[in-house]
Amino acid sequence: MAQNLVFTNDVTSALNTILDTTPHNRVAVIVDENTRRCVLPEINSPHLRDAAIITIGAGDAYKNLNTLFQVWEGLQACGATRKSIVVNLGGGVVTDLGGFAAATFKRGIKFVNVPTTLLSAVDAAVGGKTGINFGGFKNEIGCFQEATDVVISTCFFSTLPVEELKSGYAEMLKHGMLSGEEEFHRLLDFDFEHTDAEQLLQLLRTSVLVKQRIVAEDPHEKGIRRALNLGHTVGHAFESKALHDGKPIAHGYAVAWGLVAEMVLSHNLLGFSSTQLHQLAEFVYHNYGAFHISCDHYEELLHLMQHDKKSEAGEINCTLLAACGDVKPGQVIPEEEMRIALDIYRDLMHI
């Protein structure tokens, strides 16, 4: 059954409609400390008046087993059954962890995602990937389980710092590159300093539908869904290194920097346009700065890439582009080619 995506800035009405038409005996709402304070009071739904509110810590540091246990305990304490429904109200940590908790509690109960950040709206809340970090690696434990419904809005974004918008926008940029040259160039023209909620909602709709189309064709990442890993092999390595160093970085920023490195690989190995590579690098450097690495970090980064979930035999595996819209998933990258790409990434990022 296809995931129901609702694009609206009237979140209360959308959630009321979903809960009115979905039989259930109990509602549990999973929020983090920020969304409980800033977002939950804005949703005036009768279904939430008697709901169990389960609050977790805000931030990626809480996407772990201890928090998962806390959510399972909360569901058990409120009497949730297989006929109950979970509403995940928050960013990617809430939708990833809350979705995994719901997918595994009582062998699976229904859940609805209401993403409150651009990153979660365009990425984490859609497509059925759930999970937690473990052993120093991102999303090491999880499962595929789609929310029955996802309410996608931009009405909560005005409270977010511009860095949060940029983090989510990197995933939109990735979708634009997967879609084609026209969408890629349209996204390069976006002005983060002057955003309009309705305009952004339309851009977001276009972006999310690219992901939904790919996920519908390959729900368990056996083939074309690997296209969605564009920018993520190198990006996850940057993210894991930063986590190991005690200096965590936003996922979207890691993806933006990963896109640059993987487009270098795409240029070197598949002839991706040099002009578009430089346009991408300029946009990323101007809006995201750079993730600073030296050649002394290469071995650590290669090790992290070899432990990425996309690796099947300890090799480095990337999605690359021959051109925008011409996707080549599952490319095995020789270590020396990755070292060259990291060298050029440093040049493009003025490191």
Side-chain angles (χ1 to χ4, degrees):
M1 181 175 171
Q3 194 171 44
N4 177 40
L5 304 182
V6 183
F7 296 88
T8 179
N9 280 326
D10 189 350
V11 174
T12 297
S13 293
L15 194 57
N16 282 339
T17 298
I18 291 166
L19 295 176
D20 282 342
T21 56
T22 304
H24 61 275
N25 64 357
R26 194 81 170 93
V27 177
V29 183
I30 301 176
V31 291
D32 67 22
E33 294 162 346
N34 293 331
T35 52
R36 178 164 191 158
R37 183 180 68 254
C38 300
V39 178
L40 187 59
E42 299 299 316
I43 301 179
N44 186 27
S45 169
H47 293 282
L48 302 193
R49 288 173 193 157
D50 297 319
I53 309 300
I54 301 172
T55 306
I56 66 174
D60 202 64
Y62 292 94
K63 191 177 169 183
N64 56 34
L65 273 174
N66 289 337
T67 306
L68 183 64
F69 289 157
Q70 175 193 338
V71 172
W72 281 333
E73 288 170 347
L75 291 172
Q76 193 172 60
C78 77
T81 72
R82 295 188 71 183
K83 294 183 179 179
S84 301
I85 191 165
V86 169
V87 176
N88 294 316
L89 180 66
V93 173
V94 170
T95 58
D96 275 3
L97 188 145
F100 185 46
T104 49
F105 188 78
K106 302 288 187 183
R107 295 197 177 97
I109 60 179
K110 292 179 180 178
F111 63 98
V112 175
N113 286 337
V114 185
T116 59
T117 67
L118 181 55
L119 180 59
S120 58
V122 75
D123 184 36
V126 178
K129 284 187 178 181
T130 70
I132 60 171
N133 304 333
F134 183 75
F137 293 98
K138 292 283 297 179
N139 303 317
E140 185 80 348
I141 299 175
C143 66
F144 288 98
Q145 184 63 53
E146 288 193 329
T148 55
D149 307 85
V150 184
V151 180
I152 298 174
S153 74
T154 57
C155 62
F156 304 122
F157 296 174
S158 61
T159 63
L160 298 175
V162 69
E163 290 77 15
E164 287 283 349
L165 289 178
K166 290 179 180 179
S167 189
Y169 199 80
E171 292 285 352
M172 293 175 63
L173 188 60
K174 177 196 75 176
H175 291 161
M177 297 180 77
L178 293 173
S179 181
E181 188 174 334
E182 181 179 350
E183 187 63 17
F184 170 60
H185 285 293
R186 188 160 73 104
L187 290 168
L188 291 182
D189 289 335
F190 188 74
D191 181 359
F192 289 104
E193 300 302 325
H194 303 90
T195 60
D196 174 82
E198 290 301 325
Q199 176 199 20
L200 186 56
L201 184 62
Q202 294 311 310
L203 288 173
L204 185 54
R205 178 186 178 91
T206 300
S207 186
V208 170
L209 291 179
V210 171
K211 179 172 185 177
Q212 187 189 44
R213 185 169 64 250
I214 293 172
V215 169
E217 188 175 339
D218 180 21
H220 294 146
E221 202 169 352
K222 301 298 184 183
I224 190 59
R225 182 167 178 164
R226 293 183 179 183
L228 295 173
N229 292 321
L230 186 69
H232 281 64
T233 296
V234 176
H236 277 159
F238 287 168
E239 200 170 2
S240 293
K241 173 174 171 42
L243 201 60
H244 293 169
D245 291 345
K247 300 175 182 177
I249 56 177
H251 173 71
Y253 277 61
V255 169
W257 297 320
L259 282 172
V260 174
E262 293 183 22
M263 287 309 98
V264 171
L265 286 167
S266 296
H267 172 69
N268 290 348
L269 300 177
L270 299 175
F272 182 82
S273 163
S274 174
T275 298
Q276 290 178 6
L277 167 60
H278 281 83
Q279 288 171 335
L280 171 67
E282 181 181 353
F283 180 86
V284 169
Y285 181 73
H286 176 73
N287 289 290
Y288 298 85
F291 183 69
H292 286 262
I293 57 171
S294 73
C295 56
D296 293 337
H297 301 130
Y298 288 5
E299 294 312 308
E300 179 185 0
L301 291 168
L302 291 172
H303 173 75
L304 289 167
M305 293 177 207
Q306 289 161 344
H307 279 79
D308 191 274
K309 294 181 297 302
K310 296 176 285 301
S311 173
E312 296 177 354
E315 81 288 352
I316 299 171
N317 194 297
C318 292
T319 290
L320 301 181
L321 299 179
C324 287
D326 187 357
V327 188
K328 306 295 182 185
Q331 300 292 307
V332 175
I333 310 300
E335 289 186 15
E336 188 54 34
E337 288 291 343
M338 184 58 77
R339 290 189 184 94
I340 292 169
L342 293 174
D343 280 339
I344 298 172
Y345 159 84
R346 290 167 58 206
D347 288 340
L348 290 169
M349 294 288 102
H350 309 285
I351 299 172

